[in-house]
Each structure stands twice: as structure tokens, then as C-alpha cells.
Amino acid sequence: MSGPVWNAAGKKELKEPEDDSRRELAPEAWNMIRAANRAGEVNRLRQELPAATWPLVESFREDTQAIKSISFIGDSLIFRAGTAWEEGIVYIAGRQGIVKIPELTLIGRSAAGSVYALVGQADIRLVRNPDGQLQGEVLAVFPWTEIKRKLKEQMPNLNTLADCEQPEKCVEEVIPFSDGSGLMLVSSMGIYLIGKDRAELFHPNVSDLEEYEMDDSSIDMAHGSVSPDERWLAYGSQSSNHLLFDRNSGEVYSVYPESSYPHFSLFTRDGRQAWFNSCHFYNGSTIRAMIDEVLADGSADREEWPLGQDGARVYAAAALTGGVVLGDAYGYLWMMDGEGTELWRHFVGSTISGMAVSDDEGLLAVGTYGGMLHLLDLRSGAMDEYSIGTGTIRERERIIVWKSEDEPLRW
């Protein structure tokens, strides 16, 4: 193609894109957020100052922290601000406002959804159907003193969670079983199965540690999940393959990762697939292991499994009836159906650290390392005017929990 118009366009001098100057407005915007919260005018704030991430996070980076371990409890939402190696705080947000739960360091929810594990300094309590004050039927109590004693009796020469002075601060994730019989505990000192009569190191394998004359159970990128029927565990760490454990047979199946390092696992809502993410730097790949095929073959050892998504390093995810929402290191949500086809994507603005979906699947709670908890309406007919994405996702509210603030702020 040629001609005067084309030639003129080709000769036009191109300018470098200008730097984002919104950072200069960050202090003023933050003062507006504070003032609106004090005055109880958060709805007006959101109308006049659309929520944003980058301008604030870049200016207040030292104040940000991860929002993790998110769970819905009826109309309330419970979450932890701070990673496992920080002095984190557990909050519950509901009709009563946003309240600190100082006696807890972590909370986890069963795959079936009715039982919660409340992790404190003295013990781990399993509670069925707790209310907004976390009161409910107590199914079991596991004192840390007993957990540590049992672990040390089994592995006297191995440095494990039993050797942590404050083990509750070493735990990164806890998933209770719905019958109250025990829980899966994920930590930087290994993955454990805790029950009324046992406490055992599940990963790494004790025999492997002894074979290689290792005296420490510590692992990187520890992760684990439980299937909806609680028969299967999917787990791993940076130095392992993806692993599937059948609680019925006791069989462990090994799945070779698509990328370098196993990083995350999740079961689909129907429990028929285990999605495994492995990463390399900030990129990654997610594969779909079919449970029925593993059982039919008696093995998960095959050259490759079909992809669920390629490109995202996943830190958190949520299973819905129509597929899986993956949250990546670049701040994107990816909604993939059961065949690995992308349905939509949505940008929240910072590395995603935690996620949960409401029981009716209408609301998605997304936590980020930017210290923000985004409440997204999955049934909105239109996207926010200032959002980036391909779906009709609308942010209903945002909660900001920064280290410099005494209380969380709404936006």
C-alpha cells in the first residue's frame, strides 16, 4: 500500500510514551481515602475517586503486605494480612465492620466448606458452621504441645515443625477435613497430616530425607489442596514433582511438571481434575491431571497432561462450577473452563496472593501483595469504566490493609 496519506504517516515523528504522573497525586488521594472512611462516606469516595492500584502501591511500597488465607463465612469474610514470615493479623469483615481477631494467626476452610480450622498460639480448633464471631460446633482441638510431641517422638533426629518455637507462625495454609478427624497443614517446614491420634510429616518423605542424610524438613514453595470429596490430596514443593495422594488406597502418584518448579495446586469443583501450576521466574504453566485416567492407568506418569493455562505463575485460585479462576504474579485473573479455554481475564493491579469465592459463586474475593482485598461481582452485566479485562467483572468494594494504618480502610 502506498500513497500520500501512507507516506505522510510513515514520516510522522513518533514520541516516547510519557511516564505515569499519577504517582504525584498518591499522597493527596490517600488522604482522601482516610477522610472518607472517618466520615463514613466510602460510597461517595468510590464515585468521585475510582479505585486504583499502581499509583498508590508504587508510592507506599513499604506499607504494603500480602492478603492471604481468605474464606467466606456466611455474609462475612475472614482473611490474614501478612505472609507467614511476618507478624500478620487475622481480620473478619462483615456487617459489624472490620474486626481484628488477635487470638488467631491463620484460618482455613474445608474443601466441602462447612468446617473451619482456627489456628492460634495454643492450638488448632476445628469448628463447624461458625457465625460472624467464629462461634460454632467444636469438632476437635489439636494442642501444639501434643503435635510437637508426636512429631519429635517419630523423628527425634530431624528438624521439623516440632522444633519451631512458635509453630503457628510457620504455617502457611491449613485445610481441615469435614468430619473433624484432622487436617492438612502446609508450612515452610514441610506438609503434615494432623489427626486425633497422629501427627506425621507427609512431604518431604522421611525415608528420602534419611537416604540423603538430610536433617531438615524445610521446603520452598510448599503448597497443598484437598479434593471436594476429600479423597485426594494434591501437593508439592519446589524440589518435587506434582504429587497426588489417594487417601482410600494410600497410593502416591507423581506428575511431571510442565515448567521448572511446582508452585500451586487446586481441584476443580467436581473433583475430576487436579490443576497443577509450575513456574519459571514470573511465568508458569498449569496442567490438568484427570483423576479418572490416573485410576484407570494406575499411574500419573505420562509424557504430558493437557494444559489448563500457559503463561501464568499462579499464587492463588478458586474453583467455580464453570471452571477455575487463576491469579497470577502480574495481577491478572484468568477464568478458564474445564477444557482449558479462556473465558475472560481481569486485571486487579498487583501480584495475587489469595482468593475465595462465595458459596453462591456470585462474589470473588481477591487478595494481593499490594495490601488490597478486591471484592468482585461475577454476575455484573457490565465492567467498571476504568477496569482492564475482557469480561463483565465489576469491583464492588476494596479493602486496604497497610502496615502504616491502625485499621483497614474501605474504598
Side-chain angles (χ1 to χ4, degrees):
M1 183 176 179
S2 62
V5 174
W6 182 262
N7 290 337
K11 294 178 181 179
K12 186 177 181 179
E13 183 180 352
L14 299 177
K15 293 183 180 180
E16 291 290 330
E18 297 181 1
D19 292 336
D20 187 347
S21 60
R22 293 178 297 168
R23 288 182 59 181
E24 301 172 4
L25 303 175
E28 182 179 352
W30 189 239
N31 287 334
M32 291 175 64
I33 295 169
R34 285 171 166 165
N37 275 265
R38 287 196 298 268
E41 296 183 349
V42 176
N43 290 335
R44 180 182 173 187
L45 167 73
R46 194 167 182 87
Q47 293 174 359
E48 298 185 3
L49 185 67
T53 297
W54 280 109
L56 288 177
V57 170
E58 289 298 305
S59 298
F60 297 94
R61 187 166 295 278
E62 296 301 316
D63 290 331
T64 61
Q65 58 187 333
I67 307 297
K68 300 172 68 70
S69 303
I70 306 168
S71 295
F72 282 90
I73 301 181
D75 295 332
S76 299
L77 193 63
I78 194 163
F79 60 92
R80 173 187 164 92
T83 56
W85 58 85
E86 296 177 317
E87 288 290 336
I89 299 175
V90 173
Y91 294 90
I92 186 165
R95 296 175 181 175
Q96 76 280 13
I98 305 175
V99 179
K100 293 180 182 179
I101 313 294
E103 65 270 21
L104 297 181
T105 58
L106 194 65
I107 188 170
R109 189 182 185 186
S110 66
S114 62
V115 176
Y116 295 76
L118 311 182
V119 182
Q121 184 177 0
D123 53 41
I124 302 175
R125 288 178 291 128
L126 304 192
V127 180
R128 176 175 283 135
N129 296 324
D131 57 21
Q133 285 73 46
L134 302 182
Q135 300 300 310
E137 179 189 0
V138 178
L139 301 180
V141 178
F142 302 102
W144 281 114
T145 52
E146 283 298 299
I147 294 173
K148 293 175 69 173
R149 181 185 63 79
K150 291 174 183 176
L151 291 176
K152 186 52 68 176
E153 286 178 353
Q154 296 175 55
M155 299 165 289
N157 300 318
L158 187 65
N159 186 30
T160 67
L161 188 66
D163 297 285
C164 294
E165 184 176 347
Q166 296 177 295
E168 74 280 1
K169 295 186 177 180
C170 297
V171 179
E172 299 180 15
E173 188 175 4
V174 58
I175 308 171
F177 300 127
S178 58
D179 61 0
S181 62
L183 55 97
M184 183 183 191
L185 189 155
V186 179
S187 79
S188 58
M189 293 303 295
I191 300 174
Y192 298 81
L193 288 180
I194 308 299
K196 294 179 179 178
D197 300 314
R198 70 169 182 172
E200 66 174 288
L201 176 63
F202 189 62
H203 175 73
N205 186 277
V206 176
S207 298
D208 291 341
L209 294 176
E210 292 174 347
E211 179 181 350
Y212 293 104
E213 298 182 348
M214 300 180 68
D215 59 2
D216 195 310
S217 65
S218 62
I219 52 177
D220 295 316
M221 298 184 185
H223 57 275
S225 58
V226 179
S227 65
D229 63 2
E230 301 186 346
R231 172 178 175 176
W232 295 87
L233 308 182
Y235 60 101
S237 60
Q238 176 178 286
S239 301
S240 73
N241 284 345
H242 301 305
L243 298 168
L244 265 175
F245 176 65
D246 183 352
R247 295 179 69 204
N248 285 1
S249 67
E251 187 75 26
V252 176
Y253 300 92
S254 181
V255 179
Y256 192 75
E258 181 76 15
S259 191
S260 299
Y261 307 110
H263 192 262
F264 186 80
S265 64
L266 181 79
F267 288 92
T268 52
R269 193 78 168 206
D270 60 12
R272 300 180 64 183
Q273 299 182 32
W275 287 39
F276 292 103
N277 179 262
S278 54
C279 66
H280 185 73
F281 294 105
Y282 259 47
N283 299 315
S285 295
T286 302
I287 57 176
R288 301 180 291 120
M290 315 301 176
I291 300 299
D292 289 343
E293 294 182 22
V294 171
L295 287 173
D297 297 343
S299 170
D301 185 15
R302 59 171 62 188
E303 190 169 327
E304 62 181 27
W305 287 95
L307 286 172
Q309 198 277 344
D310 192 26
R313 174 174 179 168
V314 177
Y315 285 79
L320 282 70
T321 301
V324 173
V325 182
L326 304 172
D328 74 11
Y330 293 103
Y332 276 93
L333 299 171
W334 303 76
M335 177 62 184
M336 315 298 294
D337 69 12
E339 300 299 318
T341 300
E342 180 183 330
L343 301 180
W344 52 257
R345 76 181 74 169
H346 187 83
F347 184 62
V348 297
S350 183
T351 297
I352 295 168
S353 53
M355 200 184 308
V357 65
S358 61
D359 292 340
D360 65 0
E361 300 188 10
L363 192 62
L364 186 69
V366 181
T368 73
Y369 279 89
M372 298 186 182
L373 179 60
H374 306 252
L375 300 180
L376 305 180
D377 185 352
L378 298 181
R379 295 176 178 166
S380 172
M383 185 170 59
D384 291 305
E385 184 177 357
Y386 299 99
S387 292
I388 299 172
T390 61
T392 57
I393 311 304
R394 181 178 293 275
E395 183 174 296
R396 182 184 297 179
E397 184 182 5
R398 188 177 303 194
I399 299 172
I400 306 174
V401 190
W402 283 358
K403 298 175 183 176
S404 59
E405 297 296 316
D406 291 334
E407 302 293 338
L409 299 177
R410 295 183 183 267
W411 190 359

